[in-house]
Amino acid sequence: MNDLNLRVAAIKLSAHPKRFTEMRDSIVKLPLKWQNAHAGYVKQFGAATNSAEQLVIVRDIFNQTESINFLADLLFACPLRHPLRNLLTRFFSGNESIKGEQQTHSKEFLITALRAALRDLESIVIGNTSSDFLNEVIVTISGCLQNFPYGRDALAHEIHCFIPLLPRLLGLYWSTISDEQLADLSPTRRNDYYMYIKILLRFHVNCMSEYKLELGAQHFQHLWSIDELAVAVARHGDTPWDVRSIAGLSIGHNARFSKDFAEYLVKCQQMDEFDELPIKAASLLVLKKSDYNIHGKQALDILKQILGRANDNRNISNLLVYMSKHLHTYSKSLASVHLEDEPLILYNQILIELMRFSIEHISSCIDTIRHMCANILRQVLQHAKAIGENAVINELCEHYHRSCMSIPALCLMLQQMVEVYGTEMVLQNCPSIHDKLFFEHLGREDSVNALFKCMMTIAHKENAFQDWHSVWCMHLVSAANLFSGVSKGIEDVISAAVKLDKQVLSVLLEQPKVPFNFKLMAMLVARRIGQERVVNEALANNCEEIRLAAMNENDDWRILALTFVVDTPRLSEPFTQFDIDLISAFLKHNANNPKAHFRQRAYGQLKKMCRRLELNLAQQMKAPNILKEDHILNRFVSTLFEMLSLNLFPSANYGRIWLSLRLLGDLIDMMERLGVYWQHRVHPQVYVYLDRCLYDSYEHNKERAVQLLGKLQRCTTQKPREILQRLLSARPPDSATGAYQLLVYCQAAGVETPLTLKQPATELPKNSPRYFMALLECLALLQTGINGALTDLIQAAKSNPLYGLLFASRLLLQQLNLKQLAAEQLWRDYINQLLQCCLDIIKIMLPVVASESPEGHLPVASTEAESNQEAKPGKEPKHEQVVLLCAWRSIKEISLILGELSTRAPLEPENKERYLLSRQQLAVIGDRFVQMLGEIKHRGAFEQAYVGFAMYCHRFWHSDEPELNTQPPIWLADAMKMIDGNGDYVPCATRRSAGMPYMVQALICTELKLGTHKMFSESMTRLLEVCERRAPGPEAVIARNHAFNIMRALFRCSELGNLVDEFVGRGIQCALDSLVAVDYAECNSASLMLSALMVRIFGVERARSDDGRLHVRNRMTGRIFFTCYPKLFDYLHDGLQQAAVHMEQSKGGQTLQLEAMLLLLSRLYPSALEGAESSLNLDKFVPFLDKICYVHDKMSRRRACHVLANFLSPTQAKERLRNLCMSLCALKYNLEQNNSAWDTNALHGQMYQVLELFRIIGWKDADLIRSLVFLLASIAVKIYNINVDDICIFRSILNTLVAITQDTQQTKYLNTELSIVLVKIYQLDHKDIYKRCVDAGISPKFYLVFVLHLQRLTLEPENLLPSMNRLLVQSPAQDELPAELHKFTIDLWLYVLMHHESEATNARSFFSNKELKYFQFDPNLAIYFEALTPVQREMLSMQLSHSDVVRKHVMTLVKQVERGPKWSPEMLSSLYTLMVFLDKLEPSVVELLIDSDVVDAEPGMSICMLRQIQQESKWQEIQPLGLQLLCYAGNISLPTQSIYLRWKAAHLVDSLTVHVLQLLQSNDALIIGIYIRIVLQLLVDESDMVRSTISQMVSKCVAHILADNGGVKAVNLLPMAAEELFLLAVFQNMQMYSESSDFLISVFKIIVEPFVGDELQFDDEPEDDGDVFDKHEVNLYCEGLRVVSEVAKAFKATFQNNEQLISAVNALFV
């Protein structure tokens, strides 16, 4: 254990983990003694250039006897954990030889050399005073104690040399810390000295443990000197607890060595000061097992004293951390103690005391304390069991029965008991565990789940199955019955139970009430662990349930069902018909799922299915019988091919195409690997569909379609001239489609229309002639376009924008083997021409993308072109947009072409005979890349130039030719010169340096692929030096801007990973220093880099809590932060100190740097180990933050108060709040003396402090908070009456009072005196308050919120609403009441009534709790409602719903509200929604339908409509309005409406369904058609919530209609499955119209009207509407053609004898 601690301490020595890593890999310097030696082996070692060479040299020279002394000195010169140190340690331990061979050197010889090296170290220490060097010597000597037997023996012989040095070194360290003249010692340096002391004392403790026999009386004086200094260290309050603990151990070991141990224990027993706690506690650790016979009583007394001290200071977290770690070590030392009689009684009492400490703190929120206490408890239980003592477990059972612990703590305690004593004994002593814990919390609490699994597992070993089953299985079944959905906790427990015993599955399946997903999970687990027989029986009995699970609306259920049939123990498991049917059904209903995570999970399982299918087919092909076409596997393959082929229909959504293309490709690959003919299985329509996929908006879908067409087509029908014309389109999607069509044409085995060159070639190459011809045609068009662009760029950008041709050329070149092409002169000529075209286009386009404003740059155009644009405004894009699109996309394609050519083409320097790119061309390409990245200002252009340049650099870095691999460092040096303004190009000074950061990033990141990062380190160092120099002048400012922008890109780069961590600290310092720069550009660049660093350190910001607090994963303990970046502690410490002084002395000035520092510190919080391991504590910042809380800047005050509260413990927060009360007392006295002079900033800062501090301590000290409230209320009234101009400070005080009062529901905290002074605020002139707020431009809402909380605390529940009405409705200031207060009032009533309705037990409630998030309520409303007692909520909601005053006020506001600046847009909707919850709802359905087109009335109108319809008694008057209601539902269900409104439409349809189904026999085709259409629209809605709601309605409807036929069970179906069953059920109920063709055709047309579009004419190309990019549909999920097809299929299946209907349906698809 000591060795482990020593190693950890040695590792923590480094200021930064990165520095420690570099230290391990660095070259070891020659020891000082050998630097001038002339021995050959010394010179050989000194000439090594890296650590790997040094390792080889040491292996070679170790066999030389004369080198042993050198190697021994070298061993101690190496840092710990260095590879060379590890090797030498192994050699000097006699482990250098191979097994079976004789060792080279004897043990004595090696030890002698080590002793000589240790003596040399002693002589070095004596003459040196450098603390850092002396510490390194102690660390390297300490390495002798770490798994180094020979070193341990050598140190034993020389220990007498080092003991005298220890007090001198300790005195040197301690005097540096305690010297008052060195008070300005930086916190970081002070922490280093504490670490040095810790290492030194740890070395002393280890020496006393290991070498006490080697020490004699001559060392007493030195040891006592150490003892005196150790006492000072242990008693020093600012010293970290770990250091103080080791100091106490040092004292204890000295006492045992001096033979005065009994006297030492007596002194420890008599110590009573808190600072002496480490000395007293350490006395327990130096006790031997035999000491308890003599000193057991003293040990018990000392233990009680330190536990009492810990109990008195339980709020000091670092003390509890220290105590828990200390007592854990002590509890382990109590093992195997053999005692009798009284010592045994004392020993048992010690165990009880330790048990009580662990139980008291096992519920701690600090992980270290909680885990240590659990381990202490386990150790104590083991010791008690060993001696046969039951007092400990009896007391634990009493704790359990008292129920005074939290559930996690209780479970942790019980788990330790179970692990030691077993389940049976624990249940005997605590029989109520099942009812108390498992019944209510199993599956909901992780700690309960862990306890249940632990007890169940151990009980399985203790009991027979029947007994175990009756208790544990049945309780698990009872817990599972309580869950209707997915529960990860229950699933884990069930999985554990199934793994324990194979009979569990059978038991679970017999339970009818257990949700089937749990059963299915159990079956899956059983299958995976090989319980095949049980699983097969379960499968035979549950086929229907599994099939329904695959159609369930829950994603997890469906994936679980698929996994069950796919994921078998053996991949070659034969497919059954059930497996095939379920997989087919899954594909049918889930292929179009829009959720990316579901799609990935499903595809993973389906890939397993393909692999299993391949093994099945391979196994069948080996069988003697021929695999016939009607074999189950062949039919399955054919089904998959047909289904996936037809899934590519036009209007298929992205999810369906994505999944189908990949699975179809996997199937084809599988068949080709098996060598099976498969082309006949593909549906003929797939060729048309795949061709249509080339028009897809997503390029990866196009690529997949091209790959499939290449495998499917034997002869393509593509027409090359049409394709080439499409490449000239100005629309990027069209030109991309043309490029992929050209690729399909080139890769096809045969073509219907041969490509003829306009200029016939005399010769074609042997390699890829069709590709060559296509590329030549593209090249000719490129040259034509270049000529046109030189004449008129605007016209050329419209007629031949070039980028389509460039993209096609790049796409075709990607398919070719460039190494083979280099052998033919024709291909070399083509590459030269293409390269020349690219360079010409760069010259043309560069002025556009390199202009100061590329978005508005317009080359000189003809007057005719400008006049044409003015004459045709329409949809024609502007000239600037067309030119910019042409320019940046051309630059993009050229960059990628040049990059790919550089990467894939043979180069002249590498292959002088066959090459495609010469030296001159490579140089030109590099110059063009540097020019583009240096000059381009359009982001899209230089981002793609970065991609190409990265490929270019990658080829150069990885080349074996020095001519190439030495070029990137030269470019990087040139880039650094460009930063200073000395380069060939001037980087963009705006747009965040444009492409310059990308250039540097490409050069650096491509070097990483070689496994080195030298250029990165050099670049970062140089960039940081540029920022740190702070040179004056505009050139220096621009250089710093570029440096910041480049470093920002590097800090954000994910490829660099943790390499940037080394420079984060310096980067933050540079950024903060530049925030005070005069130049705005520098300040802006620095702030952007600081933002990137914040993301790098704390991660991407996650969702905040409701009160605005940062997510815990975006925060960090100060201990971890300053361990990673230790230099920042001194920097921030000095920065806050200077800011506090500056801001205190000035009344204005810059606060941006201070704001940034506070923003950084606001993400830190104190660690529980603060002060335990390090002295870099956050409370060092508190004095400066205290001063900043009163500065002139409001935001600085606010943030400083927030940070200050974060850095305080509850005890410190209470003390500071008490001091604030004293300050407010003085202010109150001055105000009473009519002294109107006060510091507004200081008072405002105090209010913020009170807010933050109250959030920490709450009402725990009620007297203090009452005093505070009294003072604030008194001051608020005084200030309001004295200062009529400053309403802001009055608002600040009232906000503070609101924050305090809203935190309690209990009126006992308010006494009479306090109520009187609070009522005085209410008695102020409301009208005057509103006027002052309006004049000051602030909202008066704060006063209303305060009054509401005051009424809540002072009035009876029945008086809340009348008082509220007097304040808001019947107030004399009603006419002057601002509109926002009217809105606040309505929202308040609405919020109360919504909650009351959502909590109602009525299943047909028209409002649910989850709807609240769709109403943007003021957060104060939620806080106010939560503060109400249940009685107040009930009374207020009841009075509101029945109040005539409220109803009249609402109706009055409805008439007054109009659109304009006075009323918010949501006011009318809120009023309509509120009317729903009031009795005597006045608007009828007719009136609502008339007003349904009123603007801003939704969603209130729809909620009103829903409530009216749900009233069964009104159906007779509503029935004539059925058509209008359906039309209204159809309008609000349109995809353009909000999700919430469409969701309400689903509820409205649900309410109308029962009545509409009665109208199926009404002969009204319009009602029937519109109803079915709306349901289908909602079933394919883009929102999962809307689809789920309507699917539940359909599930109930279908189950009701098909019940007589023994149909589908009552389950919530997947919308796709519900759609099919819905159509089937509805059409079956329309059989009476089977002969009425006109009626059925009308219904059909009405249903499919919104789904019929251009998709049905999918052979035609998309229309060009003038836009250069595709426009996405509103609903990306809906697949119109599929819906029409399903409707048509249902019509034809139901009315198959109606030929006229079938003809009309078929005609739609012609």
Side-chain angles (χ1 to χ4, degrees), residues 685 689 1644 1652-1660 1681 1684-1685 1688 1692 1700-1710:
Q685 196 69 24
Y689 289 170
F1644 177 77
V1652 176
D1654 296 335
E1655 297 88 356
L1656 292 180
Q1657 289 78 37
F1658 53 84
D1659 288 331
D1660 298 331
L1681 183 60
V1684 173
S1685 176
K1692 289 191 288 187
Q1700 186 177 353
L1701 170 66
I1702 294 176
S1703 299
V1705 171
N1706 292 334
L1708 184 65
F1709 294 91
V1710 175

Side-chain angles (χ1 to χ4, degrees), residues 291-310:
D291 290 336
Y292 287 94
N293 285 310
I294 303 173
H295 304 296
K297 188 173 183 181
Q298 290 175 295
L300 177 61
D301 187 43
I302 292 173
L303 179 62
K304 287 182 177 179
Q305 290 180 30
I306 63 175
L307 291 179
R309 182 67 69 177

